[in-house]
Every structure is written in C-alpha cells, then in structure tokens.
Amino acid sequence: QSENTPISKLDDLSKTSYPLCMRVMHEHLKSTHHLRNTGRLQYQLFLKGIGVSLEDNIEFWRTELCKNPQLTDDKFSKEYLYQIRYNYGKLGRRVDYRPHGCNKLILDPVGAGEVHGCPYKHWDVDSLTKKLADCKIAPSDIGEITRLSKEGHYILACTKFFESSHKQMPGNMFMHPNAYYAESRKILN
Ligand code: SF4
C-alpha cells in the first residue's frame, strides 16, 4: 500500500499517474456524479490501494455522488456507505479486500452505459482513438496502442500508453492498475 494520498490530489493524479481504466472512471464520476456498481467497486478498491484512507474515500464519494440533486445525504448513507466500509473490511465478512488486477478488469463483463473494465478490451477503436487524443498521446503512438488493443494485447497497449505519457518504459512490467500507478509515481514523485 502506498503512502497516504489526499483526495485533493486525485484530479491531478488521474491525469498523470492513473492507467486509462481508472482515469476513465474518475472522469465519468466527476462529470456525471454517477458510477454503476461494478465501477464503484473497482475504483473504490483502486483508491484504497493508492493510499486513500477509509474516511477520505467516504468523503470523496459523498461529495461527488451527492452533487446529483436526486441523491440525498441520507440516501448516500443507506445505499453507498456500506459498500465502501465493506471494501475496507469494516463490515460484512470483514475481509480486507484487495484492488482488482488487469485480468479481472479485462474479463469482467461490461454492460451498456457502464464505464468500468479495461478500455483497451472494451472500447471500440473510434472511442479509444478519441480518448487517447484527449489524453494528448502522440498520433503515432495512438496508432500503435489501438493496433495492440485490436490484436488483443491489452496490457501491451497499456504499457505503450505508459511509455508515451511518461517518455520512458515502466521499470517493471505490470498486470495491475495499482502497479501501473506505483511505477508512475516512482518516475514522477
Ligand atoms: Fe487498466 Fe490493466 Fe487495462 Fe491498463 S491493462 S487499462 S491497468 S485494466
């Protein structure tokens, strides 16, 4: 587990050190104040893994979800708080759940209107190309990343994204969004 990460830094970190899967969920949550169940689970656990405390994780979700006028503080407490506490092993089976790895994100089904999972696996080429351009990936690298993802080399596509955005390869190969993040922080911290 990383050192304590304040939630005030998440917007910046999502642009510099998140892998695309987590960046997409962060941006979706920030712009729509909503994230479906599996997305919440995957992103809450990722945040836990980068060192966001239980209290800060609750505060982050409360702030974002309650920007939706239909979601009251009371409804948040009844419907969403349990999942966050559960993920930290504070309720239910009291298991200290670990963030999900790439294989799980790649294999988990993603339904219409859902933004969790691995974008290199689940997104069509046009959407991926547009997103990579939004992330300011060089056009020549966008071509390679979309080619790798089309051929089913999702983690290689993600590694190319890392290389393109950090101007160097990760020190260690990764198969986990939190390992991607850790490699990025080693370079950018
Ligand atoms: Fe996330 Fe792994 Fe896909 Fe990269 S390869 S976007 S870290 S699930």
Side-chain angles (χ1 to χ4, degrees), residues 33-116:
H33 318 301
H34 182 72
L35 198 59
R36 298 258 184 102
N37 187 53
T38 308
R40 289 199 309 278
L41 175 65
Q42 290 178 355
Y43 190 34
Q44 283 166 11
L45 287 171
F46 173 80
L47 292 177
K48 177 185 174 188
I50 68 169
V52 173
S53 68
L54 171 60
E55 293 70 28
D56 281 358
N57 217 332
I58 291 170
E59 184 54 31
F60 173 71
W61 289 88
R62 189 195 303 279
T63 304
E64 285 314 316
L65 296 174
C66 291
K67 282 179 186 161
N68 174 353
Q70 275 153 18
L71 188 75
T72 58
D73 220 34
D74 186 46
K75 198 167 170 210
F76 174 82
S77 298
K78 284 194 184 120
E79 292 183 17
Y80 297 95
L81 202 53
Y82 184 90
Q83 185 182 36
I84 305 172
R85 292 219 167 107
Y86 187 90
N87 290 340
Y88 279 76
K90 302 294 179 199
L91 292 168
R93 294 171 57 209
R94 297 191 181 267
V95 176
D96 194 14
Y97 289 97
R98 300 169 76 94
H100 297 168
C102 295
N103 280 343
K104 179 148 178 57
L105 268 70
I106 287 167
L107 292 174
D108 267 356
V110 178
E114 294 184 314
V115 295
H116 64 264

Side-chain angles (χ1 to χ4, degrees), residues 19-21 102 105-106 117-120 154-155 158 174 176-177 180:
L20 194 57
C21 53
C102 295
L105 268 70
I106 287 167
C118 176
Y120 306 111
Y154 312 121
I155 294 175
C158 190
F174 57 83
H176 200 295
Y180 178 110

